[in-house]
Amino acid sequence: MLDTALRQRRALLHETRCQTCSLASLCLPLALDIEDMDQFDAIIRRRAPLKKGEPLVRQDAPFTSVYAVRSGSLKQVTSEGRGDDQLTNFYLPSEMVGLDGIDAQRYPGSVIALETTTVCEIPFDRLDALSERLPELRAQIYRSMSKEMHEDRRMLRLLSRKTADERLASFFTSLSARFRRRGYSAYSFRLSMSRGDIGNYLGLAVETVSRILTRFQQQGLVTVSGREVNILDLAALEALAEGEGGA
Amino acid sequence: MLDTALRQRRALLHETRCQTCSLASLCLPLALDIEDMDQFDAIIRRRAPLKKGEPLVRQDAPFTSVYAVRSGSLKQVTSEGRGDDQLTNFYLPSEMVGLDGIDAQRYPGSVIALETTTVCEIPFDRLDALSERLPELRAQIYRSMSKEMHEDRRMLRLLSRKTADERLASFFTSLSARFRRRGYSAYSFRLSMSRGDIGNYLGLAVETVSRILTRFQQQGLVTVSGREVNILDLAALEALAEGEGGA
DNA sequence: CGAACGATTGAGCCTAGTCAACATACGTGG
DNA sequence: CCACGTATGTTGACTAGGCTCAATCGTTCG
């Protein structure tokens, strides 16, 4: 039995090494050579997997680390005032959590696992120190942050100009692209978030999300069964997402 | 006459030095000591002032530099599809323009002067190289980006949860705070942007902006005459911005 | 001084929110 | 393994906030 535990532990350690990580090509150490990757690897902290609903970071907690998602998914929720939560982000494997806490030195929202989720913890002070010697790593940090800003701008546009249908279509095409990029099917996947989460994220009432999903099915764009999604007409969804509904 | 030109040029050079810049305490070199500031100063490029309506950067142009606003103001506009512009940001003195272009190596939107505006151009490759040796500078770059992400999240919440009244109130209180921080009056200022710009930014029709402004005046919250704004009851505006209208 | 643009005001409409009832899935303990 | 309770999802009816269209007024600039 001890043997099993040992093997599991070794497997875990093995898995946690960047060099053998299947996400390495999408993650922070992306551009590093073998030697540098070892240095990077050395500052990463292992973490027990998070269970569904468990917070990775809590809003307003002191900023110490950023995190790379290895498997599973999370949502970022910012509470302000009484019960007025806003879901500001979903995080999928290879994406970075916590970069928005650098400025205020506190995390601006809680980040909560949507399913069983594993992450790599990267203490920021050590990352920063390492980035001093590794220009490629520095560039990758800048790129990650810049990309998130870029994404946020897309989201601003979605919220201020798009109709409910366009928002849902955007949501699906964006998820589809993100899954594809990670080597999963672009057409068939399982949502880890509830309708409520989706609505909150897209600025829509749950009822609206539900209604539009049934309409999308009637239109033959997708099939949805619970959280199982099948995209039938990606091109049409993409057109819809860009506002070519009937204009 | 040559003498005049010479003096002007010297004045310009003088003004453009970080050490004598009144914004130094808000800007990138914030935490640098005198010596380091000189190094930073050396990589900055002077730029002729932009006239109203003139673009500082154009959407999709190759990313080369970031910019610090010295005086005036600008807006960032992202066009997608036909005529579907989204105003994603306003930039005031000491704020950084262009950081969202690092990832794609292109500027994700055009940035256009709203009035006569001067900026410091900072070539990014040289900034990055310098940041290798100056941890304080690096920290400040991270902080700038992180702050912008944070701001974007606030904006997401505004667009997805707030009513038109709350949005306008937020807009005014935010401007007020930004002016105060720069040493200007928090209660009396001139808008450099049109009603159309405000509406576009806040996800509202121009007519709605106009209507709410007149209502705010009737309620004794502000006086507005053209682009001249006087805040009469900042506390009430702040309460409104946070959704304490009648709840 | 006139033209062009920006701002204001009014009337009617439409999208998505709210409230309410019902259906389904989930998971926990007997 | 099933039964129950709770959380999640769906559907319907009604409402309202903000958009559109349209006309008018004001202001800035050539």
Side-chain angles (χ1 to χ4, degrees):
Chain A
M1 295 313 105
L2 226 163
D3 189 48
T4 313
L6 205 81
R7 243 186 294 127
Q8 275 182 359
R9 191 180 155 77
R10 198 178 294 157
L12 186 67
L13 288 171
H14 180 70
E15 257 189 57
T16 317
R17 296 208 49 192
C18 290
Q19 288 192 36
T20 57
C21 175
S22 61
L23 292 169
S25 66
L26 297 166
C27 191
L28 264 196
L30 185 156
L32 301 184
D33 60 32
I34 307 255
E35 201 174 316
D36 293 340
M37 206 182 276
D38 275 340
Q39 295 189 50
F40 178 78
D41 205 272
I43 70 172
I44 290 177
R45 288 206 198 124
R46 279 140 198 88
R47 272 236 169 199
L50 293 157
K51 288 190 220 96
K52 179 176 172 175
E54 215 178 316
L56 172 60
V57 307
R58 280 175 211 279
Q59 181 166 356
D60 298 327
F63 171 82
T64 55
S65 301
V66 297
Y67 302 86
V69 184
R70 285 180 58 75
S71 69
S73 54
L74 310 100
K75 62 178 173 182
Q76 182 183 47
V77 180
T78 305
S79 308
E80 221 141 323
R82 65 241 135 268
D84 187 18
D85 289 2
Q86 170 68 21
L87 205 165
T88 41
N89 226 337
F90 292 114
Y91 297 100
L92 297 188
S94 88
E95 294 177 339
M96 298 295 303
V97 174
L99 291 167
D100 49 5
I102 297 175
D103 176 47
Q105 289 289 301
R106 314 205 152 260
Y107 296 104
S110 296
V111 179
I112 295 165
L114 291 168
E115 58 194 311
T116 303
T117 297
T118 58
V119 301
C120 298
E121 177 176 357
I122 311 168
F124 186 73
D125 51 355
R126 306 200 56 185
L127 177 64
D128 180 46
L130 189 59
S131 81
E132 187 165 305
R133 287 183 294 115
L134 303 179
E136 303 297 351
L137 179 62
R138 200 167 59 235
Q140 196 54 33
I141 298 171
Y142 289 142
R143 231 173 283 143
S144 286
M145 299 183 77
S146 173
K147 184 172 186 172
E148 207 163 328
M149 290 165 64
H150 199 163
E151 277 303 308
D152 287 348
R153 303 290 154 88
R154 272 194 55 239
M155 205 60 199
L156 291 179
R157 181 161 160 272
L158 179 145
L159 289 174
S160 93
R161 307 218 94 63
K162 294 195 180 183
T163 65
D165 293 54
E166 290 163 5
R167 293 182 200 191
L168 251 309
S170 280
F171 182 67
F172 280 135
T173 56
S174 161
L175 270 188
S176 168
R178 283 157 88 183
F179 282 127
R180 191 209 319 268
R181 189 136 196 283
R182 282 164 189 78
Y184 300 112
S185 167
Y187 299 99
S188 180
F189 44 84
R190 175 165 237 288
L191 301 172
S192 56
M193 66 293 283
S194 70
R195 302 287 193 272
D197 288 337
I198 297 173
N200 190 325
Y201 181 58
L202 297 176
L204 299 172
V206 204
E207 296 92 326
T208 307
V209 174
S210 204
R211 271 187 258 273
I212 292 174
L213 287 188
T214 52
R215 186 138 41 77
F216 277 4
Q217 295 195 77
Q218 289 162 1
Q219 296 168 339
L221 296 173
V222 293
T223 57
V224 182
S225 168
R227 297 192 171 181
E228 218 57 58
V229 175
N230 261 282
I231 296 185
L232 301 178
D233 191 345
L234 185 57
L237 272 181
E238 282 168 346
L240 218 183
E242 289 314 312
E244 290 146 32
Chain B
M1 295 314 106
L2 226 165
D3 189 48
T4 312
L6 205 78
R7 243 185 294 127
Q8 277 182 357
R9 189 179 156 77
R10 198 177 296 157
L12 185 67
L13 287 171
H14 180 71
E15 257 189 56
T16 319
R17 296 208 49 191
C18 290
Q19 289 192 36
T20 56
C21 176
S22 61
L23 292 169
S25 66
L26 298 166
C27 191
L28 264 195
L30 185 155
L32 301 184
D33 62 32
I34 306 256
E35 202 174 314
D36 293 340
M37 206 182 277
D38 275 341
Q39 294 188 51
F40 178 78
D41 204 274
I43 69 172
I44 290 177
R45 289 208 198 121
R46 279 139 199 89
R47 272 237 168 198
L50 293 157
K51 286 188 222 100
K52 180 177 171 173
E54 214 176 318
L56 172 60
V57 306
R58 281 175 209 277
Q59 182 166 355
D60 297 327
F63 171 81
T64 56
S65 301
V66 297
Y67 302 86
V69 183
R70 285 181 57 77
S71 70
S73 54
L74 310 98
K75 62 177 173 183
Q76 182 184 46
V77 180
T78 306
S79 307
E80 220 141 323
R82 67 240 134 267
D84 187 19
D85 289 3
Q86 169 69 22
L87 205 164
T88 41
N89 227 336
F90 292 114
Y91 297 100
L92 297 188
S94 87
E95 295 176 340
M96 298 294 304
V97 174
L99 290 168
D100 49 4
I102 296 175
D103 175 49
Q105 289 288 301
R106 314 205 152 260
Y107 296 104
S110 296
V111 179
I112 295 165
L114 291 167
E115 58 196 310
T116 303
T117 296
T118 58
V119 300
C120 299
E121 177 177 358
I122 310 168
F124 187 72
D125 51 356
R126 305 200 57 184
L127 177 64
D128 180 46
L130 189 60
S131 81
E132 186 165 306
R133 286 183 294 115
L134 303 179
E136 303 297 352
L137 178 61
R138 200 165 61 236
Q140 196 54 33
I141 298 171
Y142 289 142
R143 230 173 283 143
S144 287
M145 299 182 79
S146 173
K147 184 172 185 172
E148 207 164 327
M149 290 164 65
H150 199 163
E151 277 303 308
D152 286 348
R153 303 290 154 87
R154 271 195 55 239
M155 205 60 199
L156 291 180
R157 180 161 161 272
L158 179 146
L159 289 174
S160 94
R161 307 214 95 65
K162 294 195 179 182
T163 65
D165 292 54
E166 290 164 4
R167 294 183 200 190
L168 251 307
S170 281
F171 182 68
F172 280 136
T173 54
S174 162
L175 270 187
S176 169
R178 284 157 88 184
F179 281 127
R180 191 210 316 270
R181 191 135 193 284
R182 284 166 187 76
Y184 300 112
S185 167
Y187 300 99
S188 179
F189 45 85
R190 176 164 236 289
L191 301 172
S192 57
M193 66 292 284
S194 70
R195 301 288 192 272
D197 288 337
I198 296 173
N200 190 325
Y201 180 60
L202 297 176
L204 300 171
V206 204
E207 295 93 328
T208 306
V209 174
S210 204
R211 272 187 256 272
I212 292 173
L213 287 188
T214 53
R215 186 141 39 79
F216 278 4
Q217 294 195 75
Q218 289 161 3
Q219 296 169 339
L221 297 173
V222 293
T223 56
V224 182
S225 169
R227 297 193 170 181
E228 219 56 59
V229 174
N230 261 282
I231 295 185
L232 302 178
D233 191 345
L234 185 56
L237 273 182
E238 281 167 346
L240 218 183
E242 289 315 312
E244 289 145 32

